[in-house]
Amino acid sequence: MDAFYAAVEQKRRPELKDKPVVIGGSGDPTKRGVVSTANYEARKYGIHSAMPLKTAYTLCPHAVFLPVDMEEYGRLSRLFKAVLQRFSPVMEDVGIDEAFLDLSDSNRSPEQIGQEIKKEIMAATGLTCSIGIAPNKLLAKIASDMQKPDGLTIITERDLEERIWPLPVRKLWGVGPKTGEHLKEMSVHTIGELAAVPLETLVRHFGMSYGHYLSKASRGIDDTPLVTHWEPKSISRETTFQTDTDHWQTIAKNLADLTRETVEEVRERGYRCRNITVKIRFDDFKTHTRATTLEEPVDTLEAIRKAAFHCLGNFDLKKKKVRLVGVRLGTLTKK
DNA sequence: TCTGGGGTCCTCTTTCTC
DNA sequence: TCTGGAGAAAGAGGACCC
């Protein structure tokens, strides 16, 4: 979906049409938080996802800043995914605003089916999307990104050298800022240049698993199937304080609240957990975790809170102020 | 100066058991 | 009793995704 959160807000508030709109955090750009979505008008000012709201505000003070309304975005998400599933039952969720659809069994042309999906999503939600159609997920994802917004891009194996290889390596799924920099130091800037690097070199630099992945991905090879169902591996909650704190009671109170919320969710979803991890981010942005694994899976607040506070006790909270506290429940088993 | 929240997966190191 | 290897599990950190 194109600039999904912002598009949803603009749809229900027509007065926002043609204005720069930034969705993120509490909607107050003087408070701590980052941009979840900036619409295309706001992007003209250099605003983009993951940017601190305060930075976005200095770049464009007259933009409309709004809080995240996950309930409403979830509702629209279910609507467009229901449309997709009418075209094929084999759908893989990729977060709230993306999905893969297996159209292998369709006998219509990709252009035809792509246009019809766009039309139906527009009818159901009033929103535009960008579609990529390709022989596998990796290439479809790249294709979906090639003509945004409101795009439809079709890629075949034959397009690899001309349309994929000239793209920067960062366009590959799984290549983030760190790997991008690492590759730049190796004088590898494009996907084509990556494809020319011997496998042994990639394995030496990036390890067995990721080295092989990069080698295949650069040649457009991806044989991973669509994942239509999965179980959660962990459930977590975390909060960043408005101001860094060294007040133990504040940290403890927040950890207790987060633990209660997380336990409630784990129970509601019918799981027990065996691993409890507490996360602390200090004022210098260094993040540390302390974990404990229990003998038996549990789902009681007492047992999990006790474990969480045991983990908290393994931090030295005297030297630096704390910016964030979080708790994660892992090694889940279904009840 | 600024850097959210909810996840997954991978790597390296430590710890424990045989 | 000491030493060492193999393998599993746990713990910590980091990269990446939306």
Side-chain angles (χ1 to χ4, degrees):
Chain A
M1 302 298 288
D2 299 320
F4 186 48
Y5 296 180
V8 171
E9 298 294 352
Q10 286 182 296
K11 194 70 207 166
R12 64 172 168 182
R13 295 176 54 177
E15 71 272 19
L16 297 179
K17 194 172 178 288
D18 301 324
K19 287 189 180 160
V21 175
V22 178
I23 316 295
S26 63
D28 180 346
T30 66
K31 296 247 168 76
R32 278 184 168 170
V34 298
V35 176
S36 288
T37 310
N39 70 353
Y40 284 83
E41 283 76 15
R43 291 181 199 185
K44 289 177 192 158
Y45 296 86
I47 298 173
H48 56 80
S49 297
M51 170 182 280
L53 286 176
K54 288 173 187 174
T55 311
Y57 184 68
T58 57
L59 287 173
C60 183
H62 66 279
V64 178
F65 289 85
L66 295 173
V68 174
D69 180 358
M70 286 311 292
E71 256 184 63
E72 181 66 1
Y73 314 148
R75 192 178 69 79
L76 274 294
S77 177
R78 286 188 290 277
L79 283 181
F80 92 81
K81 284 175 186 177
V83 170
L84 292 182
Q85 290 199 287
R86 295 210 300 266
F87 286 84
S88 166
V90 184
M91 185 189 80
E92 176 178 338
D93 266 301
V94 190
I96 196 163
D97 71 334
E98 285 188 21
F100 289 110
L101 203 58
D102 187 346
L103 298 172
S104 305
D105 293 337
S106 168
N107 42 22
R108 287 185 290 159
S109 79
E111 288 88 346
Q112 229 180 23
I113 204 158
Q115 290 298 353
E116 196 172 330
I117 289 172
K118 289 168 70 75
K119 199 176 79 190
E120 302 261 324
I121 287 181
M122 173 57 77
T125 65
L127 302 172
T128 66
C129 62
S130 295
I131 295 179
I133 303 181
N136 58 50
K137 294 199 287 179
L138 178 89
L139 291 174
K141 171 77 175 151
I142 293 174
S144 73
D145 197 41
M146 289 174 81
Q147 302 182 59
K148 278 185 175 178
D150 204 12
L152 171 59
T153 307
I154 294 150
I155 290 273
T156 69
E157 279 107 341
R158 291 188 303 280
D159 293 318
L160 184 68
E161 293 185 29
E162 256 184 55
R163 299 174 69 190
I164 302 297
W165 279 2
L167 298 174
V169 285
R170 283 297 309 275
K171 292 284 177 186
L172 275 183
W173 199 93
V175 176
K178 296 284 177 180
T179 308
E181 272 307 304
H182 193 148
L183 286 169
K184 197 193 279 182
E185 283 164 23
M186 298 166 67
S187 300
V188 174
H189 306 92
T190 66
I191 298 174
E193 286 167 356
L194 181 59
V197 179
L199 174 61
E200 310 86 76
T201 309
L202 292 176
V203 168
R204 191 160 14 94
H205 278 87
F206 300 102
M208 205 46 144
S209 164
Y210 193 43
H212 278 265
Y213 170 77
L214 288 176
S215 172
K216 283 177 130 186
S218 65
R219 286 172 285 131
I221 301 166
D222 169 26
D223 43 29
T224 59
L226 271 72
V227 178
T228 53
H229 177 82
W230 84 102
E231 297 288 330
K233 306 279 189 293
S234 66
I235 294 172
S236 66
R237 286 278 188 292
E238 61 186 59
T239 17
T240 296
F241 298 118
Q242 271 309 313
T243 49
D244 302 340
T245 182
D246 54 7
H247 190 233
W248 191 84
Q249 275 82 357
T250 302
I251 299 163
K253 167 80 164 72
N254 275 272
L255 178 60
D257 289 347
L258 294 168
T259 303
R260 184 175 37 72
E261 289 173 29
T262 317
V263 169
E264 275 166 17
E265 187 181 337
V266 161
R267 292 169 70 123
E268 272 165 25
R269 293 169 65 172
Y271 290 94
R272 281 194 280 244
C273 70
R274 211 158 79 78
N275 183 275
I276 292 98
T277 306
V278 169
K279 171 164 145 183
I280 295 283
R281 177 171 291 151
F282 290 102
D283 53 9
D284 58 3
F285 218 71
K286 291 229 169 20
T287 307
H288 297 273
T289 58
R290 292 292 179 268
T292 179
T293 298
L294 305 173
E295 292 279 319
E296 298 287 332
V298 293
D299 71 345
T300 62
L301 180 55
E302 302 91 88
I304 295 170
R305 190 167 47 198
K306 192 178 161 203
F309 273 82
H310 173 256
C311 292
L312 183 66
N314 289 140
F315 284 100
D316 182 2
L317 300 175
K318 301 226 166 66
K319 295 207 177 82
K320 290 185 283 191
K321 288 195 174 185
V322 171
R323 177 188 178 90
L324 168 151
V325 60
V327 63
R328 173 160 47 99
L329 307 185
T331 322
L332 302 178
T333 48
K334 197 103 189 173
K335 269 193 284 191

